[in-house]
């Protein structure tokens, strides 16, 4: 074991919780700090999928033409708050610059290692703890309205096949035999075996926080306001509860990591993809396994406390409240895909996915500051969180992770 260090982890989402737990298991003195309760942000409201298959970024070839088509269609799964667009434009230009085959393949090569063993990583994180009950194995399907729509996704499926994700494709009546909840509008189902999902993301985060404390770590609710450096290296965090001395810090605050990076003199091109969910309580039907409704670009997850339907992309910063259009799109898509489903109630939610122009997270030490990044996972935060935390814990403990960390360099921007 390495020499025990005093470490503060900023952010109690899945990346921060995983980092804190693995650091504590490595023998360090660990304090987890968040301005809210554990898992109050994107880790609470996500689709709950362990998306090992989600290796293809949004910025693929054809992004510009597809994006323009979506923007001009009010019923598409892409939305923009135009008042924010001038501030978004520099990031959007960098994002679009990566939308070519060469860069897409580079991004895929970076995504695969951090998501490919997600189910195993969540099991390792929770084995023997109160949180293990929320992790379960499952298949995952893409639900298409026609076989032709599936064929139109040939580029993405080719990349998935190259990574080992080969679907079983059903058409016609076989679709409803596999998933009786699906109505006649869905005529093609592409299923991937041996994946997983979380049965209640909010309860999972709360239990992980308790696991940390049961294993000797500390949780404090406080807002981090500044980072104190001496000779270029962190010595303390300034918080709403006073100064907190430390030897290292882990920055895992999702979109809220951006202003703290600026405290270190780094301007990270990080923007929020505003994601939405509808959570149906008391549904009369549930799918056998999670799925993606391809036409609406939203995921469906049968959870312990209802049916979660989550997705869409809205570009518009973090200050404006929720928009109706993304929620209405999900609602229409649910009614079309599951025409016989009834429910007792529905909960609406909006949160922020922290997204970089190259669709890859920041993982590792920021310069020689002793501050380690663990954020920017875009759509795969829950999926990649436990592995990200393990990598960060190894780096701080002086171990060399068995993974090429160059694609995730915290200093690449």
């Amino acid at each position: 074991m390495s020499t025990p260090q005093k470490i503060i982890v900023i952010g109690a989402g899945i990346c921060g919780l995983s980092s804190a737990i693995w650091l504590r298991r490595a023998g360090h003195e660990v304090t987890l700090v968040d301005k809210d309760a554990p898992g109050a942000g994107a880790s609470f409201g996500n689709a709950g999928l362990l998306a090992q298959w989600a290796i293809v970024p949004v910025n693929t070839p054809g992004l510009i033409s597809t994006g323009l088509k979506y923007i001009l269609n009010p019923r598409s799964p892409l939305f923009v708050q135009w008042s924010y667009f001038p501030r978004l434009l520099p990031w959007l230009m960098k994002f679009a610059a990566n939308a070519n085959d060469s860069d897409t393949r580079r991004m895929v090569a970076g995504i695969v290692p951090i998501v490919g063993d997600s189910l195993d990583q969540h099991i390792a994180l929770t084995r023997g703890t109160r949180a293990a009950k929320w992790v379960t194995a499952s298949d995952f399907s893409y639900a298409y309205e026609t076989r032709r729509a599936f064929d139109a996704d040939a580029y993405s499926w080719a990349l998935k096949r190259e990574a080992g994700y080969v679907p079983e494709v059903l058409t016609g009546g076989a679709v409803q035999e596999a998933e009786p909840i699906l109505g006649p509008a869905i005529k093609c189902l592409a299923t991937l075996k041996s994946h997983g999902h979380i049965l209640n993301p909010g309860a999972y985060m709360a239990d992980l926080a308790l696991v940390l404390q049961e294993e000797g770590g500390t949780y404090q609710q406080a807002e981090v306001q500044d980072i104190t450096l001496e000779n270029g290296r962190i010595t303390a965090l300034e918080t709403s509860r006073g100064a907190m001395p430390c030897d290292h810090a882990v920055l895992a605050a999702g979109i809220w990591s951006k202003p703290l990076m600026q405290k270190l003199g780094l301007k990270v091109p990080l923007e929020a993809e505003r994601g939405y969910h509808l959570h149906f309580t008391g549904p009369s039907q549930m799918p056998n396994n999670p799925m993606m409704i391809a036409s609406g670009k939203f995921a469906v997850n049968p959870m312990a406390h209802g049916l979660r339907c989550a997705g869409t992309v809205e570009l518009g910063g973090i200050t404006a409240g929720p928009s109706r259009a993304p929620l209405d799109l999900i609602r229409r898509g649910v009614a079309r895909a599951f025409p016989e489903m009834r429910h007792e109630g529905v909960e609406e939610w909006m949160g922020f996915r922290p997204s970089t122009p190259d669709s890859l997270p920041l993982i590792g030490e920021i310069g020689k500051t002793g501050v380690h990044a663990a954020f920017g996972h875009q759509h795969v935060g829950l999926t990649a969180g436990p592995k990200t935390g393990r990598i960060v814990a190894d780096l701080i403990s002086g171990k060399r992770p068995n993974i090429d960390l160059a694609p995730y360099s915290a200093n690449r921007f």
Side-chain angles (χ1 to χ4, degrees):
M1 187 184 75
S2 62
T3 303
Q5 304 282 311
K6 184 189 289 283
I7 301 166
I8 298 174
V9 179
I10 308 165
I14 186 62
C15 291
L17 285 160
S18 300
S19 299
I21 289 170
W22 284 120
L23 283 163
R24 180 59 200 142
R25 289 173 181 172
H28 300 291
E29 182 183 333
V30 180
T31 300
L32 178 64
V33 177
D34 196 298
K35 61 182 180 180
D36 294 313
S43 289
F44 168 86
N46 57 59
L49 304 175
L50 304 186
Q52 298 178 179
W53 40 266
I55 62 169
V56 182
V58 174
N59 43 347
T60 55
L63 169 74
I64 295 176
S65 59
T66 301
L68 288 173
K69 180 177 69 175
Y70 277 172
I71 286 173
L72 294 172
N73 180 2
R75 290 179 171 261
S76 82
L78 174 63
F79 304 89
V80 177
Q81 291 200 346
W82 292 106
S83 61
Y84 188 78
F85 190 77
R87 294 179 59 186
L88 178 70
L89 191 57
W91 179 90
L92 202 56
M93 292 175 67
K94 294 184 178 75
F95 188 75
N98 285 304
N100 58 78
D101 183 66
S102 176
D103 282 317
T104 294
R105 292 180 180 277
R106 174 182 58 80
M107 291 184 286
V108 169
I111 296 170
V112 168
I114 59 170
V115 304
D117 59 349
S118 177
L119 179 58
D120 290 341
Q121 292 289 338
H122 278 267
I123 289 172
L125 179 69
T126 61
R127 184 178 290 115
T129 75
R130 65 171 65 228
K133 62 183 176 289
W134 301 117
V135 182
T136 189
S138 55
D139 296 337
F140 184 81
S141 298
Y142 282 76
Y144 292 92
E145 297 199 353
T146 62
R147 173 63 192 244
R148 189 174 180 177
F150 166 75
D151 292 338
D153 275 351
Y155 182 80
S156 292
W157 279 111
L159 291 171
K160 290 184 177 75
R161 285 188 174 95
E162 289 174 20
Y165 300 117
V166 180
E168 173 188 285
V169 181
L170 302 176
T171 57
V175 170
Q176 281 70 33
E177 289 180 18
E179 285 289 2
I181 190 175
L182 290 170
I186 306 299
K187 297 181 175 64
C188 180
L189 202 64
T191 300
L192 297 167
K193 302 292 187 179
S194 304
H195 294 274
H197 66 282
I198 302 301
L199 294 169
N200 185 327
Y204 184 42
M205 299 305 134
D207 273 353
L208 285 174
L210 292 174
V211 169
L212 171 66
Q213 294 169 81
E214 289 164 356
E215 295 184 5
T218 302
Y219 174 73
Q220 286 197 25
Q221 190 165 335
E223 183 175 2
V224 176
Q225 299 165 332
D226 207 347
I227 299 171
T228 300
L229 303 175
E230 291 185 9
N231 299 318
R233 190 167 182 86
I234 189 169
T235 58
L237 293 175
E238 300 299 325
T239 78
S240 55
R241 299 181 62 172
M244 299 176 64
C246 60
D247 300 309
H248 295 268
V250 178
L251 184 50
I255 192 64
W256 313 108
S257 301
K258 184 176 180 178
L260 291 174
M261 288 287 279
Q262 291 173 342
K263 302 285 188 182
L264 297 171
L266 295 176
K267 189 175 181 180
V268 180
L270 193 71
E271 285 291 345
E273 288 187 29
R274 294 153 58 95
Y276 289 79
H277 88 216
L278 293 178
H279 190 92
F280 295 93
T281 56
S284 60
Q285 295 174 292
M286 291 274 260
N288 294 323
N289 289 289
M291 65 180 72
M292 176 74 70
I293 306 300
S295 60
K297 296 291 190 296
F298 65 88
V300 176
N301 188 352
M303 294 185 176
H305 58 313
L307 185 63
R308 175 76 52 91
C309 299
T312 74
V313 170
E314 183 184 41
L315 301 173
I318 60 175
T319 57
S323 303
R324 290 305 317 168
L327 294 165
D328 291 342
L329 180 140
I330 296 174
R331 199 180 298 272
R332 289 193 303 270
V334 169
R336 182 165 174 78
F338 313 138
E340 300 300 321
M341 188 194 80
R342 303 294 179 262
H343 57 276
E344 295 173 359
V346 60
E347 301 163 2
E348 300 178 347
W349 177 90
M350 185 270 289
F352 308 112
R353 308 182 191 103
S355 299
T356 60
D358 60 4
S359 298
L360 294 168
L362 282 73
I363 306 173
E365 189 171 11
I366 302 164
K368 299 294 183 182
T369 61
V371 180
H372 292 255
F375 65 88
H377 292 75
Q378 201 169 28
H379 298 258
V380 295
L382 180 67
T383 304
K387 189 157 193 173
T388 297
R390 207 166 196 171
I391 291 169
V392 168
D394 282 349
L395 290 171
I396 292 175
S397 300
K399 299 178 182 178
R400 187 179 182 86
N402 186 26
I403 182 175
D404 179 11
L405 294 178
Y408 326 111
S409 170
N411 309 292
R412 70 185 186 272
F413 296 116

